[in-house]
Amino acid sequence: MKKLAGFGRICIIASGFLASATFGVAHAAEIGISWPGKSASILIWEKAFKERLTAIAPDLKVETIKEVPTNEEFGAILKRFDTEKDAIVLFRSNAAEYVKANPTKKPTFFGSVNNVAELDLIEHPEKPEGNYTAASYFIAPEIQLQSFIALTPKVKRLAFVQEAGQASSAAEAGPSLEACRKLALTCQLIAVPSADQIASAIQAKLSEVDALVIGRQAMIIDNAKAVIAAAGDKPVFTYHEKAVKDGALIGMTASNEKLGALLADAVAGVVLKGRKIADTPVIVDTAPTLYINMNSVQKLGVQVPVELLGSANLIQ
């Protein structure tokens, strides 16, 4: 896999990228939107994307086919979109994995995907090659882990709890383990095949670790409370804010709303203004939010450094 050097340096400034002017429509352009499977966070992306698109390009036609249950159906939709539409918008990392094996010809935008380099989808995020670009929720794990360890400096051994077999799990694992190496942490993966095996998978490894990290896979996030219960008196960190609201100690995450709106700007720029994909860099959140659950702070007896108190979103 190609590593993504300096991903956080991609020059997409959220506040500046959202232009106030409405894009003019030169013709009856149309895009197709779809994604395989279900994920609550995708609905947030879709809502933000469509609201922004309505504001800047109200005449742009949109067809949406959401939560496609099988690869066969998704493939048929994608093939039709590639014939009929001016551009395609696909959400989720598994959609990117499908397109990697079944390339599209029309400009294709991926939203709510993990590290595009680890997905082996786009080699040069600053200047994408071919007809693919993306908006990624990826945040360099080294930045996240540094914030987590600042809150719990005695933690030296981590386990990343992930859903087995998911494209986003593989994309998350490589950079996370590399970040551990750089920070002199001992880390391992706990791959969970199903929700009913969360407790047993964690219990089998719990004595070997000081803390757990919840990944961004839907099954794991939706069952964050089970992960936290299985962790007992050990802290749980997360890459997703929902898990903090469910009781994880601390997490850092990109804004789905911000990224969805930025993706709409990128699509409108290519479809309606003729911007090239090569001039449409992969979008990331340059100002992600740190969340701390204060109930978990009290439960675990953690002292929160002043600098974290001042910068974090505190959840009671």
Side-chain angles (χ1 to χ4, degrees):
M1 291 288 186
K2 303 174 180 71
K3 299 299 178 185
L4 188 55
F7 194 82
R9 298 195 298 271
I10 296 174
C11 296
I12 297 292
I13 306 301
S15 59
F17 197 78
L18 293 174
S20 59
T22 299
F23 287 91
V25 179
H27 65 287
E30 186 171 358
I31 65 171
I33 302 173
S34 189
W35 65 89
K38 294 185 177 182
S39 172
S41 64
I42 302 303
L43 300 177
I44 300 172
W45 277 77
E46 181 200 20
K47 183 175 183 290
F49 177 88
K50 288 185 173 178
E51 286 179 350
R52 178 60 181 167
L53 205 62
T54 297
I56 63 175
D59 296 324
L60 183 61
K61 295 182 179 179
V62 179
E63 179 183 358
T64 304
I65 304 177
K66 60 180 69 176
E67 300 179 345
V68 182
T70 68
N71 271 349
E72 290 75 15
E73 291 173 88
F74 184 68
I77 292 165
L78 192 59
K79 186 175 181 180
R80 179 170 65 81
F81 280 179
D82 209 20
T83 301
E84 298 177 358
K85 311 302 182 185
D86 295 283
I88 303 167
V89 179
L90 303 174
F91 293 113
R92 303 196 75 188
S93 293
N94 53 354
E97 284 287 328
Y98 184 90
V99 171
K100 187 170 67 173
N102 303 273
T104 55
K105 297 178 181 179
K106 295 289 178 65
T108 302
F109 300 79
F110 298 97
S112 191
V113 293
N114 211 309
N115 184 347
V116 293
E118 292 294 326
L119 287 170
D120 203 19
L121 181 67
I122 299 168
E123 184 174 0
H124 304 290
E126 296 90 348
K127 197 172 182 64
E129 61 284 350
N131 60 313
Y132 303 150
T133 190
S136 171
Y137 55 71
F138 178 76
I139 304 167
E142 188 172 354
I143 295 172
Q144 295 172 298
L145 294 180
Q146 283 175 329
S147 295
F148 302 164
I149 300 304
L151 186 58
T152 57
K154 292 183 179 180
V155 167
K156 302 298 180 184
R157 303 174 302 165
L158 293 175
F160 297 91
V161 183
Q162 301 183 317
E163 183 176 358
Q166 285 294 316
S168 65
S169 297
E172 194 173 82
S176 294
L177 294 175
E178 176 62 16
C180 286
R181 186 190 65 78
K182 291 180 179 178
L183 296 172
L185 301 171
T186 301
C187 298
Q188 61 178 292
L189 304 175
I190 298 178
V192 182
S194 62
D196 61 357
Q197 296 182 58
I198 286 175
S200 58
I202 290 173
Q203 288 298 325
K205 297 290 185 180
L206 196 58
S207 63
E208 302 172 11
V209 301
D210 303 319
L212 303 176
V213 183
I214 291 176
R216 287 194 59 102
Q217 300 76 49
M219 186 268 282
I220 300 298
I221 294 166
D222 290 344
N223 291 279
K225 290 181 180 180
V227 176
I228 295 162
D233 60 356
K234 294 187 178 182
V236 177
F237 311 143
T238 178
Y239 290 160
H240 197 284
E241 75 278 6
K242 181 181 180 299
V244 183
K245 296 173 184 177
D246 284 342
L249 177 61
I250 184 172
M252 180 182 285
T253 186
S255 168
N256 292 332
E257 293 87 351
K258 182 194 301 183
L259 291 171
L262 291 172
L263 183 62
D265 279 349
V267 170
V270 170
V271 174
L272 303 178
K273 291 292 185 179
R275 184 181 300 140
K276 296 179 180 179
I277 289 289
D279 297 324
T280 309
V282 171
I283 302 163
V284 295
D285 188 347
T286 57
T289 304
L290 184 68
Y291 294 86
I292 298 176
N293 186 307
M294 297 305 291
N295 290 328
S296 297
V297 164
Q298 185 175 8
K299 174 187 171 183
L300 296 169
V302 173
Q303 286 291 115
V304 183
V306 174
E307 58 270 22
L308 289 186
L309 279 175
S311 61
N313 187 327
L314 305 181
I315 296 173
Q316 302 296 330

